[in-house]
Amino acid sequence: MATVSQTSRFGNMFWTILAWVIALLFFFPIFWMIFTSFKTDADAVKPEFLFSFTPTLENYVNMTENYDYWRFAINSVITSTFATLLALVVGIPAAYAMAFDPSRHTKDILVWMLSTKMLPAAAVLYPMTFLTKNFLDIFDTHFLVIVVLCLINLPIVIWMLFTYFKEIPKEIIEAGKMDGVTTWGEIKDILIPLAWGGVASTALLTFIFCWNEAYWTVRLTTTEAATLSKLIEGNRAPEGLFFGRLSAVSTAAVGPIVVLGWFCQKQLVRGLTFGAVK
Amino acid sequence: MAKRTLPRLLQTPAVVLLLLWMLVPLSMTLFFSFIRYVLNSFNRPEWTSPSLSNWRGFGNYEYVLFNAKDFWFAVQNSLFIVVSILLLTVVLGLALAMLVNRSFPGRGIVRVLLISPFFVMPAVNAVLWINMILDPVLGLNGIAVAGINEIVNGLKDFPVLGAFFSLWPEIVPMSFRATQTSAYAVIIMVTWQWTPFAVLIFMTSLQSEDESQKEAAILDGATAWSRFRNLTVPHLARPIAIVVMIQSIFHLSLYAEIEIVSRGNGNKNLPYLIGEFTSNNIGAASATGIFAVILANIVAIFLLRMVGKNMMD
């Protein structure tokens, strides 16, 4: 008996250490980016300063000068925030109707919505450029980026909200109807307070997806509405002469989002598998 | 009747917006794919505006399939990248999910560390890996190889053993921007980013596994391996299928990583090829786009079936 528990204790310790080592390895590139952001560009490429160096905040201080970071960051904040809000405004009523008053087409509509998400963006690259540049004259505007980000995330938003709303007992909504509450009142006073957690995590996840989007935000903007994705893709510094400053601007671009992501890792599964994995 | 109108009304904005978003650009692509349409042409200025009089039938499709030099390479390479990433993420994801799905000290932190790569924006992921990690001179790859060479060189001066080490060749660090290797760089960085996704999904699924069934199997004397094969694997079949399909959809349209690593040199996929055509030959770009839609649809149909089956319970 004693030997069994002992081997399993050693076994346990082995697996625990292995889990830690692998987790640290996975985190290492992010750590390395943060670490390098405190080196000067000159130090960052010298092997003798790999681990011992004089830390400096120079890269962060000069971020505006080197990359005009804040302009892109503000664009990212504006477009991601408004795209998320717009998606919720359009998505909440739709998900409400689908969850509490489904018709026999509801299932088909939901599946169709998802299918729009699977359309390869590149296939409509030129028409989108053509329409927004020559026809609608909204190329490189915040408005365009907000609408596009909203549309590419709308299917996921509706799906997530739908799965959350379905967990609310129908009777509660019906009771509201009996009491003569209007639909708007139902959504505002009954549904949203009850599904608050679900709505919040949907919003958070949508915000993350908007922030990280790297196809349309790069290709439908030039300067005015360009986001952080565009900033990084435009400054890839092929021979790596600017490791320090590149690390600083990268850290500033992904740091807040990675932290946000930690808070909604559980909802991520629901959001990305459309409720198919529970 | 009035009872039915309101729910329909509430769905209308979402449905109409998505319908426009899908139909308008796609029908334009379809139209462009059947006409001669280039952005610059000195000899044939009439081709530079989209018009029915430039009708070309299936000519663009023929050109893309048989004459454009990169189409088949792009298809092949798309599949190579996607399949490699899928194999790596599923195997790594399963192993890590099993590893983390136990209680041990610091489990919460381990989970947070493991999931982090997934939230890094693709452009930063690519810039970080290709420059600071994989670069053969300045990156950790180059520094590590130089370090190993230095150690081996030092050992050559040793008595007796030195003779052995002097047989060792100088190692040359692999360059990941070269034509032959740029696809590997993309595979490595995307695997790093998406393994956490697989881990998260498998972990969620493992937690819903029927523990009493497992305990019964232990009492019946089933080995750990047979428990894994006969209970866990069937339980995970569905999440594995979901991970495979969702990732296929995302990775078939990789772009930023390919652009940043080598600007498509030696490593193209269909979206990248479309991007290249779009700089002038819109007809060919559109025909390639239609092929990409077909390829994505083949994957999507399976996924939608699975999701649709499960959604109403």
Side-chain angles (χ1 to χ4, degrees), chain B residues 134-137 141-142 145 171-178 180-182 184-185 188:
Chain B
L134 296 177
D135 192 275
V137 182
N141 171 28
V145 169
I171 314 173
V172 182
M174 192 165 168
S175 164
F176 284 90
R177 279 201 186 85
Q180 301 85 353
T181 53
S182 46
Y184 300 142
I188 292 172

Side-chain angles (χ1 to χ4, degrees), chain A residues 26 123 126 183 236 262 272, chain B residues 6 29 37 116 192 201 246 263:
Chain A
F26 261 84
Y126 183 73
T183 306
R236 61 199 125 191
W262 292 343
L272 276 169
Chain B
L6 188 65
T29 297
Y37 184 14
S116 299
W192 173 71
I201 295 211
I246 289 176
R263 296 193 179 207

